[in-house]
Amino acid sequence: MLDIAQRLAVVRERIRRAELVAGRRPGSVTLLAVSKTRTPEEIRSAAAAGQLRFGENYLQEALAKIEALRDASIEWHFIGRIQSNKTRAIAEHFAWVHSLSSSRHAQRLDAQRPGELPRLKVCLQVNLSGEASKEGLEPTQVADLVAQMVNFPRLELCGLMAIPAPEKELAGQREAFARLRRIRDRIATPGAPLSTLSMGMSDDLEAAIAEGSTLVRIGTAIFGPRS
Ligand SMILES: *Cc1c(COP(=O)(O)O)cnc(C)c1O
């Protein structure tokens, strides 16, 4: 069986190949290691192999790990569902939030971001699968929230994120990611270029990179199956 460092090397190679196949610059895709349900020791193994960005979904679990890994220079990304009573801890402990989808949460995160920290980087989460998911903005709502973001000076709007419904075939995977890219292309402005496309997971990172992903969120392929 492969260990975490070996699986990380395999994932980096998959990313490099996908960049090459897509004719994209090597290194243009950032790897976020998704560490939900993983122990601080597993995260340490990945960090020792050079992985410095980690994504967490559940706030209580994340806070315990952030505390346990204070000495490691890790950049923490919040990728889970945001609850209003959790925004302060998110604003205080994370560098990025990928799952913003309401102006109410934006307003709270903005007000609660500590002044001594850099602006909180955010992606707006878009629901690409309609009825199948309740998470994220409807495509028709994205432009409106993008426009409102100028009211939140402590937030830095970086781009869009999506979790498409699982698809077996590459063509179907690409179709969903292409939809997110087209939404971005349609609403991007010089003031809000939305240059980050947070899309692609263990089973579909090649399709996501082919469609312009700049950040893939990878759990299983790095740490093994979740129990
Ligand atoms: C769990 C999760 C991932 C990683 O999924 P894998 O299939 O394990 O790579 C990525 N993004 C989000 C939002 C997740 O919740």
Side-chain angles (χ1 to χ4, degrees):
M1 229 184 74
L2 300 183
D3 64 20
I4 287 173
Q6 290 168 322
R7 281 192 297 249
L8 246 181
V10 171
V11 169
R12 288 185 184 129
E13 181 59 20
R14 282 176 65 189
I15 293 171
R16 197 191 65 84
R17 272 176 198 279
E19 288 169 338
L20 215 82
V21 167
R24 298 184 50 192
R25 184 176 57 76
S28 53
V29 178
T30 296
L31 172 57
L32 179 69
V34 174
S35 48
K36 62 176 174 232
T37 77
R38 313 299 175 172
T39 63
E41 290 67 36
E42 289 173 290
I43 296 172
R44 249 183 229 289
S45 298
Q51 178 61 33
L52 296 175
R53 297 180 178 90
F54 292 85
E56 288 282 340
N57 294 62
Y58 309 108
L59 187 70
Q60 292 315 315
E61 179 194 331
L63 292 178
K65 289 186 237 181
I66 291 171
E67 181 59 31
L69 293 160
R70 278 214 170 283
D71 58 310
S73 53
I74 288 175
E75 181 180 274
W76 294 101
H77 293 227
F78 189 79
I79 62 173
R81 210 163 78 81
I82 299 172
Q83 292 169 276
S84 292
N85 61 344
K86 306 278 171 65
T87 53
R88 180 176 298 280
I90 294 171
E92 289 177 350
H93 295 282
F94 288 82
W96 281 73
V97 171
H98 292 239
S99 43
L100 182 62
S101 61
S102 83
S103 59
R104 191 166 55 95
H105 290 160
Q107 189 261 319
R108 293 177 65 91
L109 290 168
D110 177 65
Q112 294 166 341
R113 181 66 168 175
E116 69 274 14
L117 294 182
R119 293 193 294 162
L120 180 63
K121 291 177 184 281
V122 300
C123 289
L124 305 184
Q125 183 173 352
V126 181
N127 176 1
L128 295 176
S129 36
E131 296 292 293
S133 166
K134 290 191 178 62
E135 307 287 302
L137 295 158
E138 295 306 316
T140 54
Q141 302 173 318
V142 180
D144 183 49
L145 187 50
V146 168
Q148 290 181 52
M149 294 300 288
V150 296
N151 300 318
F152 308 123
R154 298 295 294 141
L155 305 184
E156 178 182 352
L157 177 61
C158 293
L160 305 180
M161 181 274 236
I163 312 170
E167 277 276 347
K168 281 247 173 327
E169 302 299 330
L170 184 78
Q173 295 173 350
R174 285 189 62 160
E175 197 271 326
F177 293 130
R179 286 212 305 276
L180 188 69
R181 175 171 46 77
R182 287 195 297 264
I183 291 168
R184 189 278 305 279
D185 293 347
R186 196 167 63 236
I187 65 181
T189 62
L194 303 173
S195 46
T196 298
L197 286 178
S198 169
M199 57 187 200
M201 314 202 304
S202 292
D203 291 334
D204 56 17
L205 74 86
E206 284 82 3
I209 291 172
E211 295 298 342
S213 171
T214 65
L215 183 149
V216 290
R217 307 179 312 269
I218 309 296
T220 309
I222 295 172
F223 295 107
R226 282 183 292 275
S227 46

